[in-house]
Amino acid sequence: MEENNTRVGVFICDCGMNIAGSVDCEAVKDVAAAIPGVVVAMRNKYTCSDPGQEEIKKHIREHHLDRIVVASCSPRMHESTFRSCIADAGMNPYLLEMANIREHCSWVHLHDKPAATEKAKDIVKIAIAKARLLQPIEEAKIPVTDAALVIGGGVAGIQAALDLADAGHKVYLVEREPSIGGVMAQLDKTFPTMDCSICVLGPKMMDAGKHPNIELIAFSEITKVAGYIGNYTVVINRKARYVNELECNSCGKCAEICPVTVPDEFQQGFSSRKAAYIPFPQAVPASYIIDMKNCLGNNPVRCNKCVEVCEKKCIDLNMADREMEIKVGTIIVCTGMDVYDPTVLDEYGYTRFENVITTMEFERLVCGGGPTEGQILRPTDRKVPRRIGFIQCVGSRTANRGNPYCSNVCCMNTIKDSLLIKEHHPETEIFVFYMDIRAYGKGFEDLYRRSKEEGVHYIRGFPGEVLEIPGTKNIKVRVENTTTCKVEEYELDLLVLSVGLHQDAGLKKLCNLLNISLTADGFVMEAHAKLKPVDAPTPGIFFAGSVEAPKDIKDSVTQASAAVSRSSIILNSAFIKADGVKAVVDLEKCTSCGMCARICPYNAIEVDVKAKSGARVIIAACAGCGACSAECRFDAITVRHFMDDQILSQISSALATDPQNKIISFLCNWCSYAASDVAGISRMQYPANNRFIRVMCSARVHERFIWHAFKLGAPLVLLSGCHIGDCHYITANHSTQKRADKMWDAMEKLGIRPERLQLEWISAAEGPRFVHIMKELEKMRKAVTLEEIEYTRKMLSSMGDAN
Amino acid sequence: MAELKDIIRQTKAQFCLDCGKCTAVCPVSRFDAKFSPRLIVRKALRHPDKIYADENIWSCIGCNMCTVRCNYNVSYVDFIRYLRMKSRENGTEPVFSHAGVPESFMHLMARKETKQNRLGWIPDDVGIDTSSGTAFFVGCAPYFDAIFQDIGVRATDSSIGAMRLLKAAGISCNVLADERCCGHDLILSGDLSGFLDLGHANIEEFTNRGIKKIIVSCPECYYTLKVDYPRYFNDWNFEVCHITEVPEISQISRHTDANGSVKRKVTYHDSCKLGRYFKMYDGPRNLLNSIAGVELVEMENNRENAVCCGASPWMYCGSINKQVQDERLRQAGSTGAEMMVTSCPKCQIHLTCAQKSHDNAAEDIRIVDMYHLLSQSLARKEKD
């Protein structure tokens, strides 16, 4: 072993009576002072306070300390505080190790001072052992391209683009359709204000089209994304419009002369458009487009009328798709959602009965720019319907065809629709068939009340069956009014299905390109549901709007501005600093097998297996989980600040005395360690025989750590991490499961009881469960005999260095 | 017997959203304002002590329409079956129809000592192969013949038809001399011990005769042997197959009318079990279409939406059941078809009984069993 000349300073905190009340801090200090390498050990009443921190800085200077151990609360509490403190005194901030003698000791062993003190001594020794092996780490500076990509030009994308552009950043706004505007452009009015939707959106669309900082790339799709935070390279396919959008002045002559008529998707198929068309009057870009799928062909013998009649000569039927490459620092995904198609629910008769329509279709009927110029006429006879019904939750809140979640906006949308109908025709009878009315937002309950004031009937119950009356084509519904428990029948002129929302069909493909995950509901997954609602787990990617979950315009706009704010933190700096805990490769040992690259949840490792290039870690993309390091067969990759020798020294220190009475537990920073802290904060009591080793992710735990613990006489080892599916590092804990399976097989073959290695998934909230597990472990430990431990020690020692 | 909380979990009853779709589509609720599938579950969850005495639990006809429509596919029929079992355990005696005769003979069959003489209906030209490892199961059919002579329904016509089809397809089957009722009606009426007795007796018979595979045509027997027997009997390991699933059956060639097709309009009534439960809508229709000259027309409510035949497990049969049956007969009449084809002996019995008990000229449609019809078309072909 190398000479270790580090000079360690140990600062033991009383924390008032929080620690000193159940731990003999003086005794702990004395033990620490006697350890080789410890230059100074002292007690402090409140180490995190200003005077406490000043003490540390003073001692660093006076004693030329180069490694610091603070024995106090949880590192999740004050690690950053003390790192800043020692950095202030001129030390590298990563040369600090904390010994958690509060949440892990004094608070959970309140009634057994001797045991708590012994444990505290151990915890401090473990921290000192690691501290002596810590290395300084320089946080890498990652240059940032000051540009952003916004994918999707609905209201969320438009808002995000405008905010970014106004803040002075260059924005590429990519939209799949020929015009921006999204679903909002198709709505008539918005709740709860009853604003005209396109009137409000139109000016924003124009601003987005004109803004000097926004490059609007419409009718285009993303085909490739490479890079990492601050440095993305994106390839965009600009589909051919066959019209020069900069020259087109929207005269409309091409549409007039075009002989091809197809259903107009903007009008939900109620009216038609030509193959040469503009999506809607307020379209941005304000240019016509040739629908090449339906165009008769650009052979002059078949047609060519549009080209002939275009005065500005801006139609080019020989246009081809073009590719463009852009470089951006951040990406904001605002691709929106799609509307549920209720055809498969044949009990509702959609597409079988013409007078059954969806809310989206209703929106076009009632809209002034719609196929009936805003008159509410029903499809079969174009008469004004006198009795209109709405069925809520179509395709939502169900396991039986549709989606299990609530689509958020449908209740308010129907309330809005009911008021629009009453505005047009006050004598119309309106029946809303619902399960719950969710009017949770600002002004929502008021709108609901207004609707009831206007005499709209709300009937709690869903129709089981919808029938068409031959002749009149009226619609009959049978419904149990669950408030009166009576089955009722209603004859309606028009039935509107309030359909739910779901992910857009192209989302999966986009997410693969961006390497972001979807939740079970099919929407994008946030980094943290509560505290990071617009961040993707992959750094540098954000989202806003209904791509994240169905939501209304206000929430979409709010999220867009939030995403811009998060994005600006990156774009506003020329450089961003990467956290120091990163994977690092030893190229001499690396065989370019590619295992690390395969296991990395962030695609942060590049290896050319054929060329034997050696693994290369993309610092900016690496999250520091350590899955690569535990997977590597050649010890060629490790994680700074959680290196093998550091962790092994912690285990050795923990088991130096009385190993047979100790349980070694590996806790992951984000979940199981957090749970252990919660248990401490709640003052839940459990046996004092456990020694915790903190790792960032359970996937970091190499088999050799566990063999080492058994070799040194540990009766029991706990491996714990986040629940599968909740891993902070996306999928890293899957490799933990695989490793545990392998270990159990190996243990069995060696004659070691596999139950001596326990695997538990514990979430950050599960403090009580953590305590229960600690108690169970102690029971299990007592059942491990000295003979077993001795047998294991001999067996593993004779095998030499395990794995 | 299982606990109420286990049943709640198994049937997913706690997921009920109280949306009322089940009640809106329930054929019984249509005519009985007091009945609502979801209310039964609600009452059971809130007042488990009172529910077993509630008379509404006997009104369900088990058509499964509620479960199919329900957002969470809550299994109301299983729930009600459990409530009936518990209720009978507590001493409730349901009111049996047809003077309790069907229930009585099912109990007779449940006795191990009972020796039956039940193969007399099998024609000589059909015959059985006593060495075969495949059995064609007929259950109660011979007994129904005796009871429903007055309405002119012979359940064994269906069995004979099915056996002729199997013979023509080259499949040789045994028909067991001492098989018993499958127990569907007993368990649906809450008589768990009667069902278990029948099951044990059947298993013994199958085992003793060396049976490996069982073919059935009755949808209720099919459901009971396929779903309930594995659920309740650990020693059940026989293969169960519905006759329309046998590949050779669908390949039976058609009958061609010598003077070109004489179009006969028929309409097909989906049995609740074969239809909504097992989703076998196309098999029977394909077979019917294979009879040349048949024009298949659909009733207003067909396939998944088909109206139940109003069957009850021989108890509390009353005006509600009759109204459900009338609805179905009316729909059949509206198609203009000359016959309504059934694939379940119960459907045929119940609909015919309803037809015969009214004076409705419009409902003068012939109610014919599918296998009987198919086998007749076969016979004609052979004559050619």
Side-chain angles (χ1 to χ4, degrees):
Chain A
M1 210 208 274
E2 293 173 25
E3 265 281 308
N4 191 321
N5 294 327
T6 50
R7 300 172 63 78
V8 185
V10 181
F11 300 86
I12 293 151
C13 190
D14 279 11
C15 195
M17 285 308 274
N18 281 316
I19 296 176
S22 41
V23 168
D24 183 351
C25 294
E26 194 63 26
V28 175
K29 186 202 85 177
D30 289 338
V31 161
I35 292 175
V38 175
V39 170
V40 62
M42 55 169 292
R43 271 173 76 183
N44 202 303
K45 219 164 167 72
Y46 295 105
T47 316
C48 57
S49 64
D50 270 350
Q53 293 193 41
E54 280 311 310
E55 279 266 1
I56 297 179
K57 291 186 219 175
K58 192 176 98 176
H59 280 83
I60 291 173
R61 284 190 292 267
E62 273 179 21
H63 298 270
H64 308 290
L65 301 174
D66 55 22
R67 300 289 186 277
I68 305 294
V69 170
V70 177
S72 60
C73 50
S74 169
R76 287 172 56 89
M77 183 99 202
H78 276 317
E79 187 169 64
S80 48
T81 314
F82 292 117
R83 276 186 181 167
S84 307
C85 169
I86 69 175
D88 227 18
M91 276 181 72
N92 183 288
Y94 287 89
L95 297 173
L96 167 89
E97 179 69 8
M98 287 191 69
N100 183 342
I101 59 171
R102 191 181 72 170
E103 281 86 335
H104 279 181
C105 191
S106 70
W107 272 348
V108 293
H109 310 306
L110 289 168
H111 312 295
D112 190 351
K113 198 154 181 174
T117 307
E118 284 313 299
K119 182 170 170 184
K121 289 177 188 168
D122 264 0
I123 294 175
V124 172
K125 282 194 231 167
I126 292 169
I128 294 171
K130 179 167 176 183
R132 295 187 76 202
L133 295 173
L134 287 174
Q135 300 297 319
I137 303 177
E138 293 307 319
E139 285 173 344
K141 275 161 79 168
I142 305 165
V144 171
T145 309
D146 186 2
L149 167 63
V150 175
I151 309 177
V155 65
I158 292 169
Q159 182 67 40
L162 286 171
D163 280 354
L164 279 164
D166 284 344
H169 303 290
K170 162 101 188 168
V171 185
Y172 298 96
L173 176 57
V174 175
E175 163 61 47
R176 184 179 60 195
E177 300 301 316
S179 166
I180 55 176
V183 171
M184 190 175 170
Q186 294 187 291
L187 302 176
D188 177 35
K189 303 282 194 298
T190 63
F191 59 80
T193 49
M194 307 298 273
D195 279 311
C196 159
S197 186
I198 193 65
C199 309
V200 172
L201 184 64
K204 278 183 119 70
M205 285 166 62
M206 297 211 43
D207 286 346
K210 284 199 317 252
H211 203 295
N213 280 347
I214 299 179
E215 190 171 327
L216 175 55
I217 306 165
F219 203 48
S220 303
E221 292 195 38
I222 311 285
T223 51
K224 193 155 171 265
V225 178
Y228 47 91
I229 179 178
N231 297 275
Y232 285 106
T233 306
V234 181
V235 177
I236 302 167
N237 178 30
R238 307 193 68 153
K239 299 192 290 208
R241 196 182 271 258
Y242 304 101
V243 173
N244 183 338
E245 65 194 59
L246 298 169
E247 290 297 315
C248 174
N249 62 4
S250 307
C251 70
K253 292 220 169 68
C254 54
E256 250 184 78
I257 201 94
C258 176
V260 178
T261 310
V262 291
D264 186 349
E265 51 280 277
F266 186 81
Q267 305 288 16
Q268 298 292 299
F270 277 136
S271 58
S272 52
R273 60 162 173 82
K274 300 298 186 67
Y277 71 106
I278 188 166
F280 51 97
Q282 307 89 339
V284 170
S287 158
Y288 274 64
I289 175 172
I290 313 289
D291 172 8
M292 201 36 82
K293 255 205 331 255
N294 290 302
C295 169
L296 286 181
N298 51 17
N299 183 326
V301 177
R302 289 189 70 188
C303 191
N304 216 23
K305 296 195 161 69
C306 54
V307 178
E308 287 162 18
V309 90
C310 175
E311 282 170 5
K312 293 206 75 183
K313 301 280 167 244
C314 55
I315 299 182
D316 174 8
L317 297 175
N318 293 320
M319 228 189 245
D321 294 354
R322 316 191 299 288
E323 249 188 22
M324 71 183 276
E325 191 183 272
I326 59 171
K327 289 202 185 318
V328 294
T330 59
I331 300 175
I332 304 185
V333 181
C334 306
T335 50
M337 76 302 195
D338 210 348
V339 173
Y340 180 75
D341 180 351
T343 310
V344 68
L345 305 172
D346 54 32
E347 63 265 34
Y348 287 152
Y350 181 68
T351 69
R352 286 189 298 130
F353 310 143
E354 276 181 78
N355 286 329
V356 176
I357 61 175
T358 64
T359 33
M360 210 51 202
E361 291 170 336
F362 178 82
E363 208 63 30
R364 293 316 302 159
L365 279 182
V366 77
C367 181
T372 58
E373 292 175 355
Q375 298 180 74
I376 304 173
L377 305 173
R378 69 175 197 166
T380 46
D381 51 18
R382 295 183 67 92
K383 288 214 175 67
V384 174
R386 296 290 169 208
R387 296 160 303 185
I388 305 181
F390 286 84
I391 301 182
Q392 297 303 106
C393 304
V394 174
S396 306
R397 301 183 68 187
T398 174
N400 183 357
R401 300 158 299 170
N403 300 302
Y405 51 80
C406 166
S407 290
N408 199 311
V409 302
C410 331
C411 282
M412 289 313 300
N413 187 66
T414 294
I415 292 172
K416 170 200 84 180
D417 285 349
S418 72
L419 285 168
L420 287 176
I421 298 168
K422 286 287 188 183
E423 239 175 54
H424 279 70
H425 305 284
E427 71 289 351
T428 314
E429 276 202 279
I430 305 175
F431 304 96
V432 176
F433 302 106
Y434 73 99
M435 257 194 293
D436 297 288
I437 294 290
R438 296 184 162 171
Y440 59 89
K442 189 167 177 182
F444 288 6
E445 184 70 20
D446 284 340
L447 206 71
Y448 180 37
R449 214 177 26 242
R450 260 178 65 190
S451 165
K452 292 211 276 204
E453 262 177 352
E454 296 299 319
V456 174
H457 303 283
Y458 286 87
I459 293 156
R460 198 191 177 283
F462 282 157
E465 222 174 17
V466 169
L467 302 168
E468 188 184 51
I469 299 173
T472 57
K473 302 251 183 206
N474 287 350
I475 303 292
K476 190 155 80 161
V477 302
R478 277 179 57 81
V479 56
E480 185 199 0
N481 184 334
T482 60
T483 39
T484 59
C485 295
K486 287 199 167 49
V487 176
E488 296 167 356
E489 268 188 15
Y490 293 85
E491 188 175 324
L492 307 163
D493 300 318
L494 181 68
L495 178 64
V496 183
L497 302 178
S498 194
V499 286
L501 304 170
H502 59 85
Q503 63 154 236
D504 177 272
L507 185 62
K508 201 135 211 281
K509 191 163 144 230
L510 182 65
C511 285
N512 284 338
L513 288 176
L514 294 168
N515 197 28
I516 59 181
S517 358
L518 299 174
T519 56
D521 286 347
F523 295 94
V524 290
M525 188 170 81
E526 324 90 303
H528 189 286
K530 289 288 202 191
L531 299 180
K532 285 202 176 142
V534 296
D535 290 41
T538 312
I541 301 182
F542 308 93
F543 26 72
S546 290
V547 70
E548 182 262 329
K551 56 175 61 76
D552 65 350
I553 292 161
K554 173 178 176 175
D555 286 345
S556 298
V557 167
T558 309
Q559 270 199 338
S561 298
V564 165
S565 158
R566 300 286 300 155
S567 181
S568 297
I569 297 172
I570 298 162
L571 296 178
N572 284 351
S573 355
F575 292 97
I576 47 173
K577 275 217 174 148
D579 173 83
V581 177
K582 300 283 179 187
V584 61
V585 179
D586 182 346
L587 282 168
E588 280 177 29
K589 294 194 183 145
C590 176
T591 63
S592 300
C593 71
M595 290 284 286
C596 53
R598 275 205 289 284
I599 202 102
C600 177
Y602 296 89
N603 283 351
I605 306 181
E606 283 174 347
V607 190
D608 190 333
V609 179
K610 289 208 179 89
K612 297 235 175 274
S613 61
R616 187 182 86 83
V617 177
I618 305 167
I619 298 286
C622 172
C625 64
C628 51
S629 168
E631 202 68 14
C632 179
R633 296 291 107 221
F634 305 100
D635 289 342
I637 184 167
T638 186
V639 180
R640 291 196 214 276
H641 210 66
F642 291 92
M643 301 180 77
D644 280 11
D645 60 346
Q646 291 161 0
I647 298 177
L648 289 168
S649 75
Q650 287 178 295
I651 299 169
S652 301
S653 173
L655 296 169
T657 56
D658 293 331
Q660 70 278 5
N661 289 335
K662 296 179 186 165
I663 305 166
I664 299 293
S665 296
F666 295 95
L667 305 180
C668 84
N669 183 63
W670 304 97
C671 275
S672 39
Y673 196 102
S676 69
D677 279 351
V678 169
I681 294 166
S682 314
R683 313 294 197 277
M684 303 179 87
Q685 306 297 300
Y686 54 86
N689 289 358
N690 231 300
R691 300 293 178 264
F692 303 127
I693 312 277
R694 176 176 170 233
V695 286
M696 292 313 280
C697 180
S698 58
R700 173 71 189 92
V701 180
H702 199 294
E703 292 101 276
R704 71 158 59 100
F705 303 159
I706 304 174
W707 292 126
H708 188 67
F710 284 133
K711 194 157 96 170
L712 293 179
L716 206 57
V717 172
L718 169 69
L719 180 51
S720 72
C722 311
H723 287 277
I724 296 279
D726 289 344
C727 180
H728 182 82
Y729 301 96
I730 314 178
T731 50
N733 63 355
H734 290 201
S735 63
T736 314
Q737 176 72 61
K738 291 205 186 98
R739 203 159 296 118
D741 289 331
K742 261 178 38 191
M743 287 255 4
W744 285 321
D745 281 341
M747 285 167 77
E748 208 159 4
K749 290 204 176 84
L750 290 174
I752 305 169
R753 272 194 300 139
E755 309 85 84
R756 288 174 61 193
L757 170 62
Q758 286 288 313
L759 175 67
E760 288 285 354
W761 306 122
I762 310 171
S763 89
E766 290 179 312
R769 183 155 163 260
F770 180 84
V771 169
H772 173 78
I773 291 170
M774 291 295 113
K775 291 183 178 153
E776 290 301 305
L777 287 179
E778 176 58 10
K779 280 195 214 144
M780 280 185 232
R781 182 199 68 81
K782 289 202 176 100
V784 180
T785 62
L786 288 171
E787 289 82 38
E788 277 185 85
I789 297 174
E790 201 43 43
Y791 168 82
T792 309
R793 287 180 83 139
K794 286 213 175 79
M795 166 72 73
L796 293 175
S797 302
S798 72
M799 283 169 60
D801 212 354
N803 300 328
Chain B
M1 215 202 311
E3 300 257 345
L4 181 61
K5 61 174 166 65
D6 297 318
I7 295 297
I8 291 168
R9 213 172 322 121
Q10 277 166 34
T11 55
K12 297 191 274 184
Q14 77 272 48
F15 287 163
C16 169
L17 288 162
D18 278 315
C19 71
K21 277 201 268 201
C22 52
T23 314
V25 297
C26 173
V28 174
S29 297
R30 235 157 139 191
F31 305 108
D32 178 0
K34 288 195 308 350
F35 185 78
S36 158
R38 70 166 186 97
L39 272 181
I40 293 204
V41 170
R42 281 279 154 245
K43 283 192 246 180
L45 295 176
R46 290 286 294 130
H47 304 288
D49 42 319
K50 293 210 193 104
I51 190 67
Y52 304 116
D54 192 328
E55 54 180 30
N56 280 305
I57 67 176
W58 302 103
S59 304
C60 170
I61 54 179
C63 75
N64 232 30
M65 195 63 188
C66 45
T67 304
V68 160
R69 283 281 172 266
C70 174
N71 273 15
Y72 289 99
N73 299 120
V74 173
S75 183
Y76 291 102
V77 177
D78 280 350
F79 197 89
I80 282 175
R81 219 162 69 161
Y82 172 81
L83 293 178
R84 289 176 182 175
M85 284 189 225
K86 264 309 242 211
S87 179
R88 289 190 74 167
E89 207 183 63
N90 292 352
T92 314
E93 271 300 308
V95 175
F96 288 105
S97 39
H98 290 280
V101 171
E103 198 248 356
S104 303
F105 73 68
M106 286 167 192
H107 273 277
L108 279 171
M109 276 193 267
R111 291 196 196 160
K112 276 207 167 167
E113 321 77 76
T114 304
K115 286 282 168 276
Q116 305 171 77
N117 186 356
R118 54 179 288 148
L119 299 176
W121 52 276
I122 302 178
D124 294 323
D125 62 298
V126 174
I128 58 175
D129 176 2
T130 49
S131 66
S132 173
T134 303
F136 179 67
F137 183 85
V138 302
C140 291
Y143 294 85
F144 286 156
D145 279 2
I147 302 172
F148 296 107
Q149 275 179 50
D150 59 326
I151 58 168
V153 172
R154 284 181 53 82
T156 49
D157 278 350
S158 172
S159 315
I160 294 169
M163 288 172 73
R164 286 224 158 90
L165 290 173
L166 287 168
K167 185 160 177 231
I171 299 170
S172 65
C173 301
N174 195 355
V175 176
L176 303 188
D178 223 350
E179 73 190 19
R180 321 301 172 109
C181 165
C182 65
H184 174 276
D185 292 330
L186 288 190
I187 194 174
L188 186 52
S189 68
D191 184 354
L192 181 59
S193 61
F195 166 78
L196 292 173
D197 287 341
L198 284 171
H200 286 308
N202 268 327
I203 292 173
E204 200 178 300
E205 178 73 354
F206 292 137
T207 313
N208 290 345
R209 308 283 180 178
I211 298 299
K212 299 279 180 307
K213 178 169 165 174
I214 302 166
I215 301 180
V216 288
S217 58
C218 167
E220 294 192 336
C221 294
Y222 181 52
Y223 173 81
T224 310
L225 294 175
K226 188 113 182 160
V227 177
D228 278 331
Y229 273 42
R231 209 190 264 176
Y232 284 96
F233 303 107
N234 291 334
D235 49 348
W236 178 258
N237 52 9
F238 303 89
E239 188 192 332
V240 180
C241 175
H242 189 261
I243 188 171
T244 57
E245 287 180 308
V246 177
E248 295 87 327
I249 293 290
S250 51
Q251 276 142 34
I252 292 183
S253 39
R254 307 129 175 263
H255 157 69
T256 329
D257 205 283
N259 347 327
S261 317
V262 173
K263 287 251 180 261
R264 282 190 297 172
K265 247 190 182 176
V266 310
T267 184
Y268 173 69
H269 167 76
D270 289 277
S271 119
C272 294
K273 284 283 178 331
L274 206 60
R276 263 186 297 278
Y277 199 89
F278 286 110
K279 311 217 188 301
M280 291 176 175
Y281 305 112
D282 290 318
R285 284 175 170 78
N286 290 341
L287 283 174
L288 283 173
N289 275 324
S290 77
I291 306 173
V294 153
E295 183 195 333
L296 186 61
V297 290
E298 297 286 357
M299 287 183 266
E300 189 186 321
N301 285 86
N302 57 71
R303 303 175 92 101
E304 199 183 74
N305 301 327
V307 176
C308 181
C309 69
S312 70
W314 311 114
M315 50 173 207
Y316 289 109
C317 182
S319 63
I320 305 295
N321 307 72
K322 284 287 167 276
Q323 287 177 82
V324 174
Q325 284 146 9
D326 279 352
E327 171 67 17
R328 198 45 164 171
L329 290 169
R330 187 196 55 75
Q331 288 193 359
S334 313
T335 60
E338 68 176 76
M339 54 172 91
M340 168 160 66
V341 178
T342 58
S343 56
C344 170
K346 299 290 191 54
C347 293
Q348 191 183 19
I349 290 168
H350 293 297
L351 289 167
T352 311
C353 176
Q355 194 183 47
K356 295 270 192 284
S357 69
H358 289 359
D359 233 348
N360 258 316
E363 271 73 273
D364 243 343
I365 188 170
R366 281 177 59 209
I367 302 175
V368 179
D369 174 82
M370 181 168 83
Y371 307 104
H372 180 67
L373 187 67
L374 284 167
S375 67
Q376 280 189 329
S377 79
L378 259 189
R380 268 199 292 278
K381 176 167 197 293
E382 274 151 21
K383 268 206 225 123
D384 290 345

